[in-house]
Amino acid sequence: MPVREPPLASARALGLLLALAALALVCVASLAVGSRSIAPATVVEAFTDSDGGNQEHFIVRELRAPRTMIGLMVGVALGLAGALLQGLTRNPLGDPGILGISAGAALAAAVAVLLFGVSSVYAYIWFAFAGAAVVGVAVYTLGSLGRDGATPVKLALAGAALTALLTSLTSLILLVDVSTLNALRFWLVGSLAGRGGGVAVQVWPFIAAGTVAALASARVLNALSLGDDVARSLGVRLGGARALAGGAAIVLTGAATAAAGPIVFVGLAIPHVARAIAGPDYRWVLLYSAVLAPVLVLGADVIGRLVAGTGEMQVGIVTALIGAPFFVALVRRRKLAEL
């Protein structure tokens, strides 16, 4: 089979511009579409010439704009985290859940509601973020034990083991305490609904810092993709490189999960789409993932508003419905390639 040549830089740049155009369109749709559709001209007017007594302006500025902003940030965070983890573990089936980060955030939020009576998203967001960070560090520490250090296989196994344990504990809490289930039922399936500007203010510094660290990891991820021995010969310090990429993934996934709950399959699917378009160079894979992932998140959120009539389907459910067939197709393709 002939080797597929990577796209030229000009083609990659053009594709990135098209992806940005798609992102702009889905942002407009997120502001305009819902149980009450609003004309695009009115959406623009809400920001350029706002009328405090206009109900449509209020809906756009106070309800949909913060929701769209959070969807943008969560999408960027999950897309970058997925690309980082797939590069770090050299596992094409990896996503942010591979390190147990989402499971740690969910358990911490459930414990906060159960033990401390936390009921506001602005309060348990910090518990969720702390749980994600602690579990991410724990997985990396467990995966680093032994002579070989943090190998991809050991990281994956440690993440899978802790994810199973933490998910079981979260399910136990939800089963024995109905009030905790009621407080977290929308957050646990992944939702942008009811997220105000205060949530965006709380998480954006973490997502900004994680984004900078992720983009700074592009060169070392390219080296790691060639194998540990080659990476060492190129002067890459494996421990530091993995700590940087893994730390960025922890921060990004923790912040995204704290803000909107564990939204699945975005971090798995989008990096594969990015590689199909831009080739294996992580400088481009990370950029494409940061643009395409919010397109998926916001697009799924808009779809969820439309298909449920007067209600809405949470974004985590829509991404699962979209991502599950993709995951099956990906596994089947890899099995056929191994025959």
Side-chain angles (χ1 to χ4, degrees):
M1 181 181 294
V3 177
R4 177 176 176 266
E5 292 293 331
L8 297 174
S10 58
R12 288 166 166 166
L14 177 60
L16 191 60
L17 288 176
L18 293 175
L20 287 169
L23 179 58
L25 288 175
V26 80
C27 285
V28 173
S30 179
L31 293 169
V33 175
S35 58
R36 177 171 180 172
S37 295
I38 299 174
T42 305
V43 171
V44 175
E45 190 179 75
F47 294 102
T48 59
D49 188 20
S50 179
D51 179 1
N54 189 310
Q55 188 176 19
E56 291 186 334
H57 288 186
F58 175 82
I59 291 173
V60 170
R61 290 178 62 90
E62 303 300 326
L63 301 179
R64 293 183 183 171
R67 182 171 180 162
T68 301
M69 180 61 65
I70 293 170
L72 275 170
M73 293 192 297
V74 167
V76 169
L78 293 178
L80 288 174
L84 287 170
L85 292 176
Q86 289 178 16
L88 179 66
T89 63
R90 297 198 294 273
N91 182 355
L93 301 181
D95 75 331
I98 197 172
L99 289 182
I101 300 173
S102 297
L107 177 60
V111 170
V113 175
L114 177 66
L115 298 183
F116 304 106
V118 173
S119 59
S120 169
V121 64
Y122 304 110
Y124 69 65
I125 188 174
W126 294 104
F127 287 91
F129 185 82
V134 169
V135 172
V137 172
V139 169
Y140 187 83
T141 301
L142 290 173
S144 301
L145 298 177
R147 292 182 301 173
D148 298 331
T151 64
V153 173
K154 289 198 297 184
L155 285 173
L157 290 175
L162 278 183
T163 296
L165 173 61
L166 298 174
T167 301
S168 299
L169 292 175
T170 302
S171 298
L172 178 62
I173 291 174
L174 298 178
L175 286 173
V176 300
D177 190 81
V178 177
S179 61
T180 303
L181 174 61
N182 291 334
L184 294 177
R185 57 180 175 175
F186 289 120
W187 183 84
L188 284 171
V189 298
S191 175
L192 300 180
R195 302 299 190 265
V199 176
V201 170
Q202 287 178 309
V203 300
W204 82 261
F206 298 101
I207 293 179
T211 298
V212 171
L215 296 178
S217 301
R219 186 185 67 84
V220 296
L221 287 177
N222 283 334
L224 288 173
S225 66
L226 302 174
D228 289 358
D229 293 337
V230 175
R232 287 193 190 93
S233 69
L234 294 174
V236 175
R237 296 182 177 179
L238 297 183
R242 288 189 174 124
L244 177 64
I250 289 170
V251 170
L252 289 168
T253 309
T257 305
I263 298 176
V264 298
F265 287 116
V266 176
L268 170 68
I270 290 300
H272 287 280
V273 176
R275 276 189 287 270
I277 298 172
D281 189 340
Y282 271 93
R283 293 174 298 177
W284 289 96
V285 169
L286 289 169
L287 287 175
Y288 268 90
S289 297
V291 176
L292 293 175
V295 172
L296 175 58
V297 171
L298 289 175
D301 188 42
V302 171
I303 292 171
R305 300 181 213 173
L306 295 177
V307 299
T310 56
E312 71 175 71
M313 185 181 295
Q314 305 305 319
V315 63
I317 298 174
V318 179
T319 58
L321 293 174
I322 295 172
F326 178 90
F327 181 79
V328 172
L330 181 62
V331 172
R332 285 179 57 85
R333 188 180 71 175
R334 287 191 58 81
K335 285 184 176 180
L336 289 174
E338 293 171 358
L339 293 178

